[in-house]
Amino acid sequence: MSLRQNEPLLERFRDQYAAYKAAHPQFWLYAVVDFAAMSRRWQSTLSDIVKAMPRFPLYANTGLDDLADIGPFLIACPEPEGDEPLGIYRSLLHLTTHDRRFVSWLWSVHEVEPLVDHLQTLLHARLGPDSEDAWFFFHQPAYLPVLHRLFPEDTRRYMFGPCLAWWCRDVHGELIELACENLPLPAAREALPVSGEVVGALHRESAPAQVYAWLHKAMPDVLDASSCMNEQFKQLEPLVQRAFAYGISNKIDLGIYTMFGLEYGAQYDDHPALQAALAQFRSGSTALIDSYTALGGDVWNEIEITARQRAADAATEAYQATLTKRGYALIAVRLVNDNRHRKTIVKFGPSDERGLSEVKLGGIDAAGFRAVHIDIASAPVPIPGKSVNVKWVGPSGCEVSSEVEVSGELPRAEGEGLAIVKFADDFRVYVSMHARDPAIRTQREKEYAYLGLELPRETTR
């Protein structure tokens, strides 16, 4: 992905920097960078970017000193003007385009040392109704919106109050701007109270990353290694949330549910037998993989067939959306003559599609006792609902033209479909588009019939 695609976000940083600069005599923008979330390759890339910039480890002198070198640290970002500073911003934005867990941005009037001292007090927390003493990794970008939204007001002001704002990105690349109050640094608390409600919300928020880690170790083949982490999390998140809705919360059970969703599609659990198993799982103690195994091969065969059909239907929908946007399909053409006059130099072209040229289809003999036809391997044909100009030279030697609205249905996939240009025995011209070879349609009908389903109607216009 090109860094230039992040320019709107870069402009947002520049605008905010200018606004804070005008309002506050002295302020800083800190990047909170989490090395621990990165692969060695990304760590090396980031080190090259910020090698000349001072780092302020969040874990230094906290009891997590062994992690200080690889744990999160703050760097003070330069003013976003000039090639080198802008290059730093672009690089950090590029990192979060790949994986949002890498970086967040903290705006503050406080100098870095006292600010780090304050942030370190957030690392010690008492979690849930039992006040369990724990290290609290509040700084993870996925946690920040949850904490800002769910913390009680006094706790929220303690964590976020000393900032002007705290920014991060979500898996969709959107910038999340958390507003803060620009308060003085508060007196340190002994431990940050984190309620059971917040702990539960953080567990749900972190579950996709935990499931990814489990799948990466146990079932790496189901993951799309070619996609960036944000894209993979976009796949995992809805599946994990569906699992939670069934009462599935154990990491391995979440991983199993998600793995099957990646294999068979997000709606694989619509099968009645699987619905029954998941309903029983909510109140039982059986591992999810055991519940799935007990369903038997016939159920999973049916799920597999349905999954293939859904994938084919989704691909068809995407392809037909492309054709609709483009306005034409590149498909085979059958030229049919059902009247007694030979047609020479038949030409075919759109009446309203820019960028498409007129196509010569050749000539065709007059019909005798039955219609004659010739096939053309491929030509651009306007989609149903649009008009096309059909031109030809008749027996008089003069060119004749007819503007015809295309009827019919869209093809289902690249390389499929047939357009028929028919010179009818009533001397009118008809142009129709057909989706696919009937033999292929018959096979599809068999699969739907096996499941007792009705074949969806083809998309028409």
Side-chain angles (χ1 to χ4, degrees):
M1 180 175 289
S2 169
L3 298 184
R4 289 291 173 182
Q5 289 181 271
N6 283 311
E7 291 302 298
L9 293 181
L10 179 57
E11 288 306 307
R12 178 70 189 108
F13 275 85
R14 296 177 73 178
D15 291 345
Q16 187 65 78
Y17 201 100
Y20 282 147
K21 187 176 181 179
H24 303 283
Q26 188 173 0
F27 84 97
W28 288 268
L29 170 58
Y30 301 106
V32 184
V33 182
D34 193 353
F35 250 28
M38 301 181 190
S39 66
R40 290 187 180 276
R41 179 173 68 87
W42 285 106
Q43 289 180 5
S44 176
T45 299
L46 183 63
S47 294
D48 290 341
I49 295 166
V50 301
K51 59 185 176 183
M53 304 172 69
R55 302 181 188 183
F56 300 88
L58 188 58
Y59 291 168
N61 304 314
T62 63
L64 294 173
D65 302 70
D66 291 344
L67 302 176
D69 289 339
I70 61 170
F73 58 86
L74 275 66
I75 56 173
C77 297
E79 184 172 357
E81 298 295 339
D83 291 344
E84 187 173 345
L86 289 176
I88 293 171
Y89 282 82
R90 289 190 179 105
S91 296
L92 293 176
L93 285 169
H94 180 57
L95 288 175
T96 57
T97 298
H98 172 84
D99 191 332
R100 65 162 174 170
R101 298 175 298 167
F102 289 167
V103 185
S104 65
W105 292 269
L106 194 159
W107 306 79
S108 178
V109 300
H110 301 293
E111 294 186 359
V112 66
E113 288 88 352
L115 180 62
V116 168
D117 288 343
H118 166 67
L119 295 177
Q120 287 177 339
T121 69
L122 305 174
L123 291 168
H124 182 205
R126 299 198 184 279
L127 306 180
D130 298 329
S131 295
E132 179 184 357
D133 194 58
W135 291 108
F136 185 47
F137 303 128
F138 69 91
H139 50 81
Q140 295 182 7
Y143 287 178
L144 295 174
V146 177
L147 300 177
H148 192 269
R149 182 177 71 253
L150 294 183
F151 263 162
E153 182 62 17
D154 64 327
T155 309
R156 187 196 63 77
R157 286 168 67 90
Y158 180 81
M159 176 173 172
F160 293 96
C163 311
L164 291 162
W166 204 326
W167 291 4
C168 56
R169 294 181 74 179
D170 65 17
V171 294
H172 303 283
E174 297 297 324
L175 190 63
I176 300 173
E177 303 182 17
L178 303 175
C180 307
E181 290 91 345
N182 189 29
L183 300 175
L185 292 170
R189 289 185 174 183
E190 180 180 351
L192 192 70
V194 183
S195 69
E197 177 193 10
V198 175
V199 172
L202 294 178
H203 171 60
R204 293 175 72 95
E205 187 65 38
S206 64
Q210 294 176 4
V211 167
Y212 173 85
W214 183 82
L215 289 173
H216 186 69
K217 182 177 180 180
M219 298 286 180
D221 290 344
V222 303
L223 298 170
D224 183 1
S226 65
S227 296
C228 69
M229 289 302 304
N230 284 347
E231 289 298 320
Q232 296 194 60
F233 284 147
K234 282 163 64 175
Q235 281 187 297
L236 296 177
E237 281 187 353
L239 290 167
V240 170
Q241 295 310 315
R242 284 173 72 97
F244 275 123
Y246 290 115
I248 300 169
S249 58
N250 174 275
K251 180 175 71 172
I252 295 178
D253 290 335
L254 285 170
I256 292 296
Y257 179 91
T258 303
M259 178 188 71
F260 278 82
L262 294 174
E263 183 72 20
Y264 294 114
Q267 295 175 289
Y268 81 101
D269 56 4
D270 284 353
H271 193 286
L274 191 50
Q275 283 285 301
L278 289 168
Q280 293 174 358
F281 180 83
R282 185 187 296 272
S283 58
S285 58
T286 304
L288 187 62
I289 189 61
D290 294 334
S291 297
Y292 277 14
T293 302
L295 292 174
D298 289 345
V299 169
W300 288 107
N301 286 339
E302 292 173 7
I303 291 172
E304 183 177 5
I305 291 172
T306 304
R308 289 203 310 267
Q309 292 163 350
R310 283 187 175 135
D313 290 342
T316 294
E317 184 177 349
Y319 177 68
Q320 291 179 339
T322 299
L323 297 184
T324 300
K325 182 178 180 180
R326 191 170 65 190
Y328 69 92
L330 193 65
I331 58 174
V333 176
R334 178 165 296 158
L335 193 59
V336 178
N337 192 3
D338 197 19
N339 65 54
R340 61 180 180 271
H341 296 305
R342 172 179 168 79
K343 310 293 187 293
T344 59
I345 318 178
V346 179
K347 292 184 287 188
F348 182 84
S351 60
D352 58 356
E353 291 300 314
R354 296 179 180 178
L356 288 182
S357 302
E358 200 170 59
V359 177
K360 290 184 179 180
L361 301 181
I364 187 167
D365 289 335
F369 293 106
R370 58 183 179 180
V372 295
H373 73 271
I374 61 171
D375 288 333
I376 294 89
S378 181
V381 181
I383 63 174
K386 292 188 174 291
S387 296
V388 62
N389 284 323
V390 182
K391 300 178 182 179
W392 68 93
V393 176
S396 66
C398 297
E399 185 175 75
V400 184
S401 69
S402 178
E403 185 169 321
V404 184
E405 182 175 304
V406 180
S407 64
E409 56 196 6
L410 294 171
R412 296 179 57 84
E414 190 78 37
E416 296 180 1
L418 175 69
I420 298 177
V421 182
K422 183 176 182 179
F423 297 96
D425 57 3
D426 62 3
F427 296 98
R428 297 179 64 183
V429 181
Y430 300 88
V431 180
S432 57
M433 185 176 289
H434 303 264
R436 57 162 60 201
D437 188 315
I440 299 176
R441 185 192 297 269
T442 299
Q443 176 59 33
R444 203 158 165 269
E445 286 175 342
K446 288 180 180 178
E447 289 189 345
Y448 271 80
Y450 176 80
L451 297 174
L453 302 174
E454 182 180 349
L455 186 71
R457 296 179 62 187
E458 302 291 353
T459 301
T460 61
R461 293 183 62 88

